Amino acid sequence: MKRKWYDYLWIGELAYWILGFCNILFAWLGMLFFCIPLFLAIFGGNKAYCNRYCGRGQLLGLVGRKLSRNVPPPKFLRSGWFRYGFLTFFMVMFGLMLRSTWMVFTGAPLRQTITLLWVFKLPWQWADVSMAAPWMAQFAFGFFSVMMTSTILGFLTMVLFRPRSWCVYCPMGTMTQGICRLRQRKEDTEDGREGKEDRGTA
């Protein structure tokens, strides 16, 4: 089967990590991985990003061919309580990251550390951030921490279960699925209202 251009988006995922290690400020590019899925869900009403354009999912699928145990993930990973609970926790952590950025913006000192799995702090003093405002650098450190944490979780579940088991509970996937459901519910409600109006005028 002929491959499409979007089958190679895993290269973009690798490029993001290479650029981020070269200069932490490239972490800002990760906002594309947040905004594009939401844009497609809100205006397209579908999960095209998860199903077709997600470079991380593609990368996990490729690496998982060799490293994955390829067994079904546990049922609780698919459950609504876990997926929405994990999304809530993830968003709280994201909010704390924004709070740290705001504190630096208002005068707090820059903290050049990468936090993995929300606990382990890695010094990142070698990063040159002199060309950016301190708050921009702080956001980059925080966002790169979030991206690295989610990637580590993705690779852990890839090894333990099926290659793309991360996609089962990915916060962005859960969020876009929720948006699509709300959009579909709204459209169904509007269709039902229009149907009643048509019957009323018949």
Side-chain angles (χ1 to χ4, degrees):
M1 185 174 64
K2 185 177 180 180
R3 298 180 69 85
K4 305 291 186 180
W5 62 270
Y6 48 76
D7 292 324
Y8 300 95
L9 290 175
W10 60 270
I11 298 174
E13 181 76 12
L14 282 180
Y16 174 76
W17 292 112
I18 293 171
L19 290 172
F21 277 100
C22 291
N23 191 318
I24 192 67
L25 296 177
F26 281 110
W28 276 84
L29 292 175
M31 287 300 296
L32 293 173
F33 303 144
F34 269 54
C35 296
I36 293 176
L38 295 177
F39 180 86
L40 292 176
I42 293 171
F43 297 102
N46 56 61
K47 293 184 64 177
Y49 184 87
C50 294
N51 297 329
R52 184 177 297 174
Y53 305 120
C54 180
R56 177 181 293 175
Q58 292 178 9
L59 185 61
L60 290 173
L62 289 171
V63 178
R65 293 176 183 175
K66 298 292 186 181
L67 301 180
S68 176
R69 294 173 62 231
N70 202 30
V71 297
K75 292 183 178 180
F76 78 87
L77 286 182
R78 298 180 179 273
S79 65
W81 68 265
F82 180 84
R83 290 168 56 241
Y84 284 98
F86 186 69
L87 171 62
T88 301
F89 175 77
F90 210 85
M91 294 308 294
V92 169
M93 294 298 103
F94 189 79
L96 292 176
M97 182 203 76
L98 293 179
R99 178 176 177 271
S100 298
T101 301
W102 173 256
M103 290 176 64
V104 172
F105 179 77
T106 55
L110 172 66
R111 291 179 292 180
Q112 291 188 222
T113 57
I114 296 293
T115 305
L116 299 181
L117 300 172
W118 306 286
V119 176
F120 306 103
K121 297 184 181 298
L122 302 180
W124 215 265
Q125 304 297 328
W126 51 268
D128 182 12
V129 295
S130 59
M131 70 288 292
W135 71 268
M136 295 183 67
Q138 188 65 63
F139 181 90
F141 281 110
F143 198 80
F144 207 61
S145 298
V146 170
M147 296 295 286
M148 286 189 70
T149 292
S150 60
T151 300
I152 290 172
L153 292 175
F155 274 90
L156 284 175
T157 49
M158 175 206 72
V159 171
L160 294 174
F161 311 115
R162 286 177 176 163
R164 296 188 63 164
S165 294
W166 163 254
C167 301
V168 172
Y169 65 102
C170 169
M172 288 307 302
T174 302
M175 193 182 308
T176 53
Q177 183 181 60
I179 292 172
C180 291
R181 286 178 175 175
L182 289 174
R183 180 186 169 100
Q184 186 62 48
R185 190 178 304 170
K186 179 180 178 182
E187 291 176 353
D188 291 343
T189 301
E190 292 176 349
D191 290 343
R193 187 183 304 117
E194 291 175 358
K196 290 180 180 180
E197 292 175 353
D198 292 340
R199 288 194 296 271
T201 57

